[in-house]
Amino acid sequence: MTDTIFALVTTYGYAGVLICAYLSCLFVPVPTSLMMLAGGALAASGDLSVSLLIGAAFIGAVLGDQTGYFIGRRFGRRALIHLSRAPARRKIIQRAQKTVDDRGGLGVFFSTWLVAPLGPYVNVVAGAAGLKWYRFTIADVLGEAMWVNIYVWLGFAFAGSLALVAELVGDVMGLIAALVTAAIAGLWITLVLRHHRAADKAKTESASSETFGSPPERTI
């Protein structure tokens, strides 16, 4: 399988990676993640440019996600009903709907790289649910940038052990997801604490001004 992926990347180059990334975001089961790993390995050996490889995969993925979003925006419930005809897909769409309803843009972000098989369904559901385009796009761009860079640089760093990396990549993604979640939680806690401190400071200053304010004018 790895040899086949290497042959595909070598034959079709950046255009092949771009097209595969686009199609993988539109329910077509192509091994884009493995292609990015292989592309990273080829970039490590000097056969490909790592920047062009990342750019091609990123552009293809974002265009695919945007296409899925506007399919959902244009056809709405009809698109979801059509996709739900297969029982297996029905369960995935229900999960995608819960992801968008519960987490909004954050759900889109994680679906692009942490649970990539869910991503194409989240794109359509987000469009059908009326998630704001700018929120979808910001989450999509950030998520796809992470997805592409993780796989390409893993392939680049472990070019000699690509098969092993392909087997362990799920564990790596889980670790990265845990770190990202912890970072987001830490940022949220920091912002909440700052807000509370600012509110307490404002209350203290208000109380001080009432206590030590200028005395009332004496009337004669």
Side-chain angles (χ1 to χ4, degrees):
M1 181 65 177
T2 305
D3 293 337
T4 302
I5 298 299
F6 267 113
L8 287 173
V9 177
T10 304
T11 302
Y12 298 104
Y14 309 113
V17 173
L18 187 151
I19 293 171
C20 284
Y22 178 82
L23 294 176
S24 68
C25 297
L26 290 172
F27 314 105
V28 180
V30 291
T32 306
S33 298
L34 287 177
M35 289 189 72
M36 288 190 293
L37 285 173
L42 290 171
S45 63
D47 294 317
L48 292 176
S49 164
V50 69
S51 58
L52 291 178
L53 177 65
I54 290 174
F58 175 75
I59 291 171
V62 170
L63 289 177
D65 290 337
Q66 293 289 323
T67 302
Y69 174 84
F70 282 106
I71 287 174
R73 197 66 175 262
R74 173 66 178 82
F75 299 103
R77 298 295 303 176
R78 283 182 293 169
L80 297 179
I81 291 172
H82 176 74
L83 291 172
S84 298
R85 289 178 179 176
R89 280 187 171 182
R90 191 177 304 123
K91 292 181 180 179
I92 298 176
I93 289 174
Q94 290 172 353
R95 185 180 172 191
Q97 289 175 321
K98 181 174 176 56
T99 298
V100 173
D101 292 341
D102 293 349
R103 295 182 175 85
L106 191 61
V108 173
F109 170 74
F110 281 114
S111 74
T112 57
W113 62 279
L114 179 58
V115 281
L118 190 65
Y121 299 92
V122 169
N123 298 336
V124 178
V125 168
L131 183 68
K132 296 292 186 182
W133 176 78
Y134 75 89
R135 288 184 61 195
F136 174 84
T137 300
I138 291 172
D140 177 42
V141 167
L142 293 175
E144 294 297 7
M146 179 167 286
W147 180 57
V148 170
N149 276 280
I150 287 172
Y151 279 94
V152 170
W153 287 112
L154 277 175
F156 189 94
F158 300 98
S161 307
L162 205 59
L164 178 61
V165 172
E167 292 179 5
L168 297 178
V169 73
D171 295 331
V172 174
M173 297 293 272
L175 175 61
I176 293 173
L179 293 175
V180 170
T181 303
I184 293 174
L187 178 61
W188 180 79
I189 292 171
T190 301
L191 292 175
V192 170
L193 289 175
R194 285 182 180 177
H195 174 74
H196 284 304
R197 287 172 183 169
D200 291 341
K201 184 178 180 181
K203 288 181 181 179
T204 302
E205 292 177 350
S206 177
S208 298
S209 64
E210 291 178 0
T211 303
F212 301 104
S214 57
E217 295 183 1
R218 298 174 65 182
T219 57
I220 301 176

